[in-house]
Amino acid sequence: MAAFSFTVPFTRGAVGGLSPLFIGSARAVVAALLAAAALAFTRQRLPDRRQWARLAVVAGGVVLGFPLLTSYALTTAPASHGAVVIALLPAATAVLAVLRGKECPPRSFWVMAGVGALAALVFASLQGGGFGRLHWSDLLLFGAVLAAAAGYAEGGLLARELGSWQTVSWALVLASPLMLALTVVAVTQQAQTGTAAQWAAFAYLAAVSMFLGFFAWYRGLAIGPMAQVSQVQLVQPVLTIAVAALLLGEELTWPTMFGGLAVIVCAGVAVRIRLDRTTK
C-alpha cells in the first residue's frame, strides 16, 4: 500500500505535459518489458489455456482499466478527491472475492458495502457542487474501482497457482500488444512534452505502481484470506491524501477529510463483517 499510495498523486502530477492516454498505456508497455525480461530470465512455464482466460480479467482490470480511467479522471479531479472515491476499493475487492469464491456472508456485510458506496457517492456529489452534479471524473473513478477490484480478486486467486509476480507479469505481457497500440495513438495525437518531474513520476508509475508493487500485493492476497488482506487498503487513501498535500500542495479541506473518514469507516466495517463470518 505504501507503493500504491503514490500512484494517484504522481498520475495527477504527470498529466498536462503527458497525455492521460499516454500515461495509462505507456506505463504498461514499460512494465511489460520488465515483466517479459523477468519471465524469460527465470524461464517460467507458460500458463494453460484456462489461466490465460483468467489473466485476461487481471489485465483488463489492473493493466488496462484502472490506469486509463484514473489517468483521464485526474486531468480534472484533485488527487485527494480521487483518493477518497478510490477508498471504496477494499469493500469492492471483498465483494468480488465473495462472488468469485461462491461464499455466503451475512446480510449485514452487503448492507455496509452498500452504505460505503452511498457514502462515496454523496462525497463525490458534494465535491462536484451538489446532488445530481457528479462530474465525469467521478464516474471514471468509480469505474476504476470496479476494474481494480476485479483484477485484485482474480489476481489473488491466480497468484496461488502461478505465483504473485508471475501473475502480474503474464497479465502485462498479455495486454502489451493493445497497450503498445494505444501508446502509438497517444504519441501520434499529442507531443509528450513533460517536465523532468513529470517523466520521473511516469517512471515510478511504470516500474513501481504497474509492476513491482504487485509483487507484495498479490503475494499477500494469495496468502489470504483476500477479504482480510484487502483491509490493508484502508490505509491507502490516508497516505495518498497526505502525499498529495506534501507533493502537490493540495489543501486538506474538511469535506475531504470527513468524506475520506466516512468511506474508510464504511469499507472497514464491511470487511470486518466478512472476516467475522469466515473466522468462526
Side-chain angles (χ1 to χ4, degrees):
M1 287 304 98
F4 291 154
S5 295
F6 288 85
T7 301
V8 170
F10 280 177
T11 302
R12 173 63 175 168
V15 294
L18 306 178
S19 70
L21 180 59
F22 179 84
I23 295 170
S25 58
R27 65 194 260 191
V29 173
V30 174
L33 292 175
L34 298 175
L39 291 168
F41 182 76
T42 57
R43 298 184 179 181
Q44 296 294 311
R45 65 175 179 85
L46 288 171
D48 60 34
R49 181 163 47 184
R50 182 170 172 273
Q51 289 170 335
W52 278 119
R54 296 169 63 191
L55 283 167
V57 176
V58 178
V62 302
V63 179
L64 177 65
F66 186 83
L68 285 174
L69 290 172
T70 52
S71 294
Y72 277 101
L74 292 170
T75 58
T76 56
S80 56
H81 177 84
V84 174
V85 177
I86 293 174
L88 272 175
L89 193 48
T93 301
V95 169
L96 291 183
V98 167
L99 297 176
R100 184 66 178 84
K102 299 180 180 179
E103 300 175 4
C104 298
R107 183 180 300 175
S108 54
F109 170 80
W110 299 111
V111 171
M112 287 310 305
V115 171
L118 180 61
L121 184 63
V122 170
F123 167 78
S125 296
L126 294 177
Q127 290 288 93
F131 290 103
R133 296 185 60 183
L134 276 175
H135 291 171
W136 67 273
S137 58
D138 297 315
L139 300 179
L140 292 177
L141 288 170
F142 287 129
V145 166
L146 293 177
Y152 286 170
E154 192 62 46
L157 293 173
L158 199 51
R160 297 171 183 172
E161 303 173 19
L162 297 176
S164 57
W165 71 266
Q166 293 93 332
T167 296
V168 66
S169 295
W170 285 120
L172 286 164
V173 170
L174 178 62
S176 59
L178 174 60
M179 305 312 288
L180 179 59
L182 292 176
T183 301
V184 172
V185 171
V187 173
T188 302
Q189 288 181 342
Q190 176 181 331
Q192 308 302 317
T193 57
T195 64
Q198 289 173 325
W199 281 110
F202 172 80
Y204 183 94
L205 294 173
V208 180
S209 299
M210 196 82 260
F211 187 52
L212 297 177
F214 281 98
F215 286 30
W217 181 233
Y218 275 151
R219 175 58 178 164
L221 290 175
I223 295 172
M226 284 193 289
Q228 180 178 5
V229 174
S230 69
Q231 203 170 201
V232 178
Q233 291 176 294
L234 298 176
V235 305
Q236 183 176 340
V238 178
L239 293 175
T240 296
I241 290 173
V243 170
L246 291 173
L247 298 183
L248 303 179
E250 293 188 1
E251 182 181 0
L252 290 177
T253 63
W254 286 111
T256 297
M257 290 188 284
F258 280 121
L261 179 62
V263 175
I264 291 170
V265 168
C266 291
V269 172
V271 173
R272 175 57 59 186
I273 292 171
R274 159 116 168 99
L275 289 178
D276 290 344
R277 179 60 175 259
T278 57
T279 53
K280 288 182 180 178

